[in-house]
């Protein structure tokens, strides 16, 4: 097995198209509350403030002309190499020019024990050799660029504001700031051993704090130490250790510290097809991801994160109990009204949306994923709180009534509801986990006999209506002949034994019809929307894990090795990828892609160690 890519360094000059950087060229930095995207050319093109799901102050990734950004780069031709500082989510970018070399260190700093800005973006510039002319510019556009920004100075410091939002641009040895009606900028030259600092101090409905240079330096050191301390507590020694560690750090970026939940991605409306309309807001927490999330936290010894996430999940779902929403806000709210922003979208991919109408869909697989999550938590903790145990049992009762209904499926299609096979399989999983917990007296067992009866009825429906004798495979929907990569989850969640011929045939059908090399598409038939999409990265990792479960460990390991190389230069994955050129598509960094990587890597490593 290959040891895995470090994803640490890539060289070359970034080429923008109509002002837009390739999605593959973005790194992410964050502080547990929000996440910024930094392009390889030194531009911060996305930053919501104060929180990950808040309106943005930099939105150039959706509007390159008017969205606002924070740029920092040499004024002469350059090449670039970058990496995350080892064990951290602090980004290091090195620009090499004919005149010399300069290093930029970018971080969203983690608060320490002193009074700190509400949010802080630090950009430290170190001269390594020669003399390099640098230019920086801050063009804030609060509220997704929806209104004018006012720029004034306070105590000699440039401050941009709009309504209850403000950002101070504090600089040291970075040239004299110049202010216009729309931007704050400066120029300076680096020398060997020189250091400049640009710190953006944000405020939202609170006083604006102007930090000192010494305070900024201390916070950056504290931030690096905090990330390294957190990663040092993780345990994984498998063959893809570096990829798993980077995925763990990427997931930690997406954990919303105030509530303990995890966002599906850090961005909104990055397209699944360039120029297409499949552009969604992923800054919510999906029930679909819950079992993978808790499993990853437990496997990586993230006990605090596992506990916090499970309790957030129980709090959020209590608001709609016993029914589940497809997704919930990071604060636990159940509303996610979808609306369109007046932005052109990434490379003209409109509409740009915030909110997500999928929240109102019926998606039956969520019940299986939530009860699997409860099962994993109960196994780890040895018990469930009495109120939670009662609610879990009531959800199982609801599944007995709901499973016969058509739904939107795991992929939240916007066509008419259908009887999706994977949805039925996950209803089976829900009742299977409920009966297991009842047998162990973890939840009330008074309806366990009905759960067993309905579990058998679900299996009968699947085996009778959702299997193609011609393809030797389960099908996407009842009575169809199409396949769907989500059927792999039937194997991964234990719907049937991996030696069962029908599941093995399903794996083969998915490889035959949906896979092209390491790339796996979700499905091939209509979904109610025009256009197409890229290969779905999580499905590729699911396939690797399914192959291992079927005993085809060498094939699974070979596929994993190929998939590891598909990460960008700093080890991140988006939602999808274009098989033709490897371009990233969809929102990023994508939690489900990294969760699927961790699950597959852990499963293959555990099998290899047995």
């Amino acid at each position: 097995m290959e040891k895995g890519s470090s994803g640490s360094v890539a060289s070359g000059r970034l080429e923008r198209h109509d002002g837009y950087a390739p999605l593959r060229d973005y790194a992410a930095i964050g502080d547990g509350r929000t996440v910024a995207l930094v392009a390889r050319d030194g531009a911060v093109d996305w930053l919501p403030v104060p929180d990950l799901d808040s309106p943005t102050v930099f939105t150039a990734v959706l509007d390159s002309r008017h969205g606002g950004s924070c740029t920092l780069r040499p004024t002469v031709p350059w090449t670039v190499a970058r990496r995350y500082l080892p064990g951290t989510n602090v980004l290091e970018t090195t620009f090499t020019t004919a005149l010399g070399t300069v290093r930029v260190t970018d971080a969203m700093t983690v608060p320490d024990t002193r009074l700190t800005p509400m949010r802080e973006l630090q950009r430290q510039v170190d001269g390594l050799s020669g003399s390099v002319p640098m230019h920086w510019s801050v063009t804030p556009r609060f509220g997704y660029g929806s209104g004018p920004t006012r720029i004034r100075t306070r105590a000699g410091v440039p401050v941009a504001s709009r309504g209850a939002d403000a950002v101070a641009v504090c600089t040291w040895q970075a040239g004299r700031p110049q202010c216009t009606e729309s931007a704050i900028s400066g120029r300076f030259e680096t020398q060997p051993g020189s250091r400049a600092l640009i710190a953006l101090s944000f405020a939202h409905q609170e006083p604006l704090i102007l930090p000192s240079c010494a305070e900024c330096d201390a916070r950056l050191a504290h931030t690096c130490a905090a990330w390294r301390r957190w990663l040092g507590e993780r345990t994984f020694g498998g063959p893809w250790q570096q990829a798993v560690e980077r995925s763990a750090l990427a997931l930690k970026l997406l954990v919303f510290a105030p509530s303990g939940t995890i966002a599906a991605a850090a961005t909104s409306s990055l397209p699944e097809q360039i120029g297409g309309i499949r552009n969604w807001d992923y800054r919510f927490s999906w029930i679909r991801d819950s079992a993978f999330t808790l499993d990853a936290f437990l496997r990586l010894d993230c006990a605090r994160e596992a506990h916090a996430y499970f309790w957030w999940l129980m709090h959020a779902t209590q608001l709609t109990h016993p029914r589940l929403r497809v997704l919930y806000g990071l604060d636990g709210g159940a509303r996610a009204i979808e609306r369109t922003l007046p932005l052109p979208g990434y490379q003209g991919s409109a509409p740009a949306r915030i909110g997500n109408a999928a929240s109102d869909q019926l998606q039956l697989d969520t019940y299986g994923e939530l009860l699997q999550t409860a099962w994993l938590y109960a196994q780890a903790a040895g018990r469930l709180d009495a109120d939670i145990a009662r609610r879990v049992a009531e959800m199982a009762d609801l599944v007995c009534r709901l499973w016969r209904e058509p739904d939107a499926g795991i992929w939240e299609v916007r066509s008419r509801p259908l009887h999706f096979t994977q949805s039925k399989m996950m209803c089976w999983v829900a009742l299977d986990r409920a009966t297991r917990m009842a047998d162990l007296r973890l939840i009330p067992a008074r309806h366990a006999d009905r759960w067993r009866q309905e579990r058998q009825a679900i299996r009968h429906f699947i085996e009778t209506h959702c299997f193609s004798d011609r393809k030797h495979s389960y099908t996407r929907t009842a009575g169809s002949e199409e396949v769907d990569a989500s059927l792999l989850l039937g194997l991964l969640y234990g719907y049937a034994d991996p030696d069962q011929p029908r599941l093995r045939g399903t794996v083969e059908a998915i490889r035959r019809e949906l896979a092209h090399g390491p790339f796996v598409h979700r499905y091939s038939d209509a979904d109610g929307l025009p256009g197409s999409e890229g290969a779905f990265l999580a499905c590729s990792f699911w396939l690797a894990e399914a192959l291992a479960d079927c005993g085809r460990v060498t094939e699974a390991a070979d596929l994993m090795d190929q998939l590891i190389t598909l990460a960008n230069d700093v080890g991140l994955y988006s939602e999808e990828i274009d098989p033709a050129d490897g371009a990233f598509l969809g929102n990023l960094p994508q939690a489900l892609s990294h969760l699927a990587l961790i699950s597959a890597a852990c499963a293959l490593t555990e099998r290899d160690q047995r």
Side-chain angles (χ1 to χ4, degrees):
M1 294 183 182
E2 183 180 319
K3 294 299 179 184
S5 168
S6 65
S8 58
V9 177
S11 298
R13 186 179 178 87
L14 180 147
E15 296 293 337
R16 288 180 176 253
H17 176 73
D18 195 26
Y20 293 97
L23 297 181
R24 176 175 279 278
D25 284 338
Y26 282 107
I29 57 174
D31 60 1
R33 299 163 298 177
T34 191
V35 174
L37 292 189
V38 187
R40 281 203 303 129
D41 62 0
V44 179
D45 287 340
W46 175 265
L47 177 58
V49 173
D51 299 323
L52 187 148
D53 57 353
S54 298
T56 55
V57 62
F58 301 136
T59 324
V61 74
L62 296 179
D63 184 351
S64 64
R65 289 180 173 84
H66 308 294
S69 66
C70 176
T71 63
L72 172 62
R73 64 178 68 99
T75 61
V76 295
W78 44 264
T79 59
V80 64
R82 65 179 183 172
R83 64 170 187 162
Y84 282 112
L85 292 180
T88 78
N89 279 315
V90 174
L91 184 67
E92 179 186 273
T93 304
T94 302
F95 294 100
T96 301
T97 76
L99 302 177
T101 303
V102 63
R103 181 176 63 220
V104 176
T105 303
D106 286 316
M108 295 292 300
T109 56
V110 176
D112 54 25
T113 57
R114 288 163 289 190
L115 183 65
T116 63
M118 184 180 205
R119 306 288 181 268
E120 182 180 67
L121 169 63
Q122 283 196 31
R123 314 202 72 182
Q124 180 179 286
V125 185
D126 289 290
L128 301 183
S129 66
S131 178
V132 181
M134 302 289 292
H135 177 263
W136 59 268
S137 177
V138 180
T139 54
R141 296 293 182 268
F142 296 101
Y144 304 108
S146 60
T149 299
R150 178 182 177 182
I151 295 178
R152 298 289 188 272
T153 60
R154 299 184 193 176
V157 175
V159 174
S161 62
R162 177 176 177 264
D165 294 293
V167 55
V169 181
C170 305
T171 62
W172 295 270
Q173 280 69 57
R176 183 179 180 83
Q178 303 295 316
C179 298
T180 67
E181 290 185 356
S182 61
I184 304 161
S185 62
R187 295 177 180 271
F188 63 100
E189 286 195 7
T190 65
Q191 305 295 331
S194 68
R195 171 165 292 178
L197 177 62
I198 303 165
L200 276 59
S201 174
F202 295 92
H204 175 73
Q205 297 181 339
E206 65 178 21
L208 182 64
I209 294 175
L210 305 181
S212 69
C213 185
E215 289 170 336
C216 288
D217 289 344
R219 255 191 311 276
L220 180 59
H222 169 75
T223 298
C224 291
W227 284 119
R228 289 180 175 130
R229 183 168 57 252
W230 182 83
L231 186 63
E233 296 170 353
R234 311 285 71 81
T235 56
F236 181 82
W240 300 284
Q241 179 175 351
Q242 289 178 314
V244 170
E245 289 178 347
R246 178 47 55 193
S247 288
L249 284 163
L251 291 174
K252 186 64 171 172
L253 274 178
L254 297 174
V255 172
F256 185 57
S259 67
T261 191
I262 186 167
T267 55
S268 175
S269 292
L270 298 184
E272 298 173 20
Q273 179 188 31
I274 302 299
I277 69 167
R278 297 166 183 259
N279 319 313
W280 316 110
D281 191 348
Y282 270 23
R283 297 172 298 162
F284 296 90
S285 190
W286 261 256
I287 300 297
R288 174 196 65 191
D289 299 347
S290 62
F292 279 111
T293 299
L294 197 75
D295 186 55
F297 285 156
L298 293 174
R299 286 179 188 251
L300 298 177
D301 287 337
C302 301
R304 290 189 301 272
E305 288 81 1
H307 181 77
Y309 174 67
F310 182 74
W311 280 92
W312 173 88
L313 192 62
M314 293 300 101
H315 167 76
T317 55
Q318 186 173 13
L319 299 176
T320 58
H321 181 76
R323 290 182 177 265
L324 296 175
R325 291 295 186 99
V326 173
L327 53 92
Y328 293 85
L330 301 185
D331 62 357
R335 293 174 61 82
I337 298 172
E338 185 174 296
R339 62 186 181 92
T340 299
L341 295 173
L343 301 173
Y346 178 80
Q347 291 192 26
S349 305
R353 298 180 175 95
I354 57 173
N356 199 308
S359 64
D360 295 325
Q361 292 180 339
L362 173 62
Q363 187 175 313
L364 291 173
D365 70 286
T366 57
Y367 294 92
E369 277 125 12
L370 190 135
L371 266 75
Q372 169 69 2
T373 303
W375 168 244
L376 291 172
Y377 183 85
Q379 285 184 300
R383 62 180 296 274
L384 287 176
D385 176 83
D387 180 62
I388 289 175
R390 174 188 56 79
R391 288 170 50 203
V392 168
E394 290 171 352
M395 287 183 199
D397 292 339
L398 180 63
V399 171
C400 292
R401 302 196 301 270
L402 286 182
W403 75 262
R404 292 176 176 82
E405 296 186 18
D407 75 327
I410 187 174
W411 305 130
E412 299 154 10
V413 298
R414 301 211 171 186
S415 53
R416 64 184 177 88
L418 296 168
H419 291 285
F420 286 95
T421 304
Q422 190 265 350
S423 294
K424 308 303 184 191
M425 287 180 169
M426 293 308 293
C427 287
W428 182 95
V429 169
L431 297 182
D432 179 74
R433 301 311 186 262
T435 56
R436 292 192 198 186
M437 286 187 278
D439 290 343
L440 294 174
R441 299 183 179 180
L442 293 168
I443 64 174
R446 59 182 176 274
H447 296 157
D449 287 343
R450 186 188 179 197
W451 300 340
R452 293 185 182 92
Q453 292 168 5
E454 293 297 327
R455 180 181 62 179
Q456 184 57 37
I458 295 171
R459 182 178 291 280
H460 178 75
F461 180 88
I462 294 170
E463 300 303 321
T464 304
H465 299 286
C466 304
F467 185 81
S468 168
D469 290 321
R470 182 171 66 86
K471 291 189 174 182
H472 307 290
S473 171
Y474 291 107
T475 57
R476 186 177 187 227
T477 59
S480 74
E481 287 291 317
E482 301 294 332
V483 297
D484 189 307
S486 67
L487 295 168
L488 295 168
L489 296 178
L491 191 158
L492 301 187
Y493 285 124
Y495 168 74
D497 190 276
D499 293 329
Q500 199 247 40
R502 287 191 166 194
L503 276 178
R504 287 177 170 267
T506 301
V507 172
E508 281 307 304
I510 290 169
R511 293 190 78 186
R512 182 175 64 247
E513 299 189 21
L514 298 178
H516 308 277
F519 305 105
V520 179
H521 288 270
R522 294 190 286 183
Y523 47 83
S524 60
D525 53 340
D527 59 8
L529 293 171
S532 60
E533 62 180 27
F536 201 79
L537 282 161
C539 294
S540 295
F541 288 110
W542 293 346
L543 178 58
E545 188 171 350
L547 288 170
D549 282 352
C550 291
R552 298 158 68 173
V553 178
T554 300
E555 291 177 69
D558 288 344
L559 177 55
M560 279 294 293
D561 288 340
Q562 294 178 68
L563 295 174
I564 295 303
T565 67
L566 298 180
N568 73 357
D569 59 304
V570 289
L572 300 183
Y573 292 87
S574 62
E575 178 186 21
E576 299 178 7
I577 195 166
D578 187 341
D581 59 8
F584 277 6
L585 296 168
N587 289 298
L588 71 121
Q590 178 79 9
L592 190 58
S593 299
H594 288 280
L595 287 166
L597 183 156
I598 292 171
S599 180
C602 290
L604 267 69
T605 299
E606 290 167 6
R607 177 175 287 272
D608 194 49
Q609 291 173 347
R610 287 200 292 265

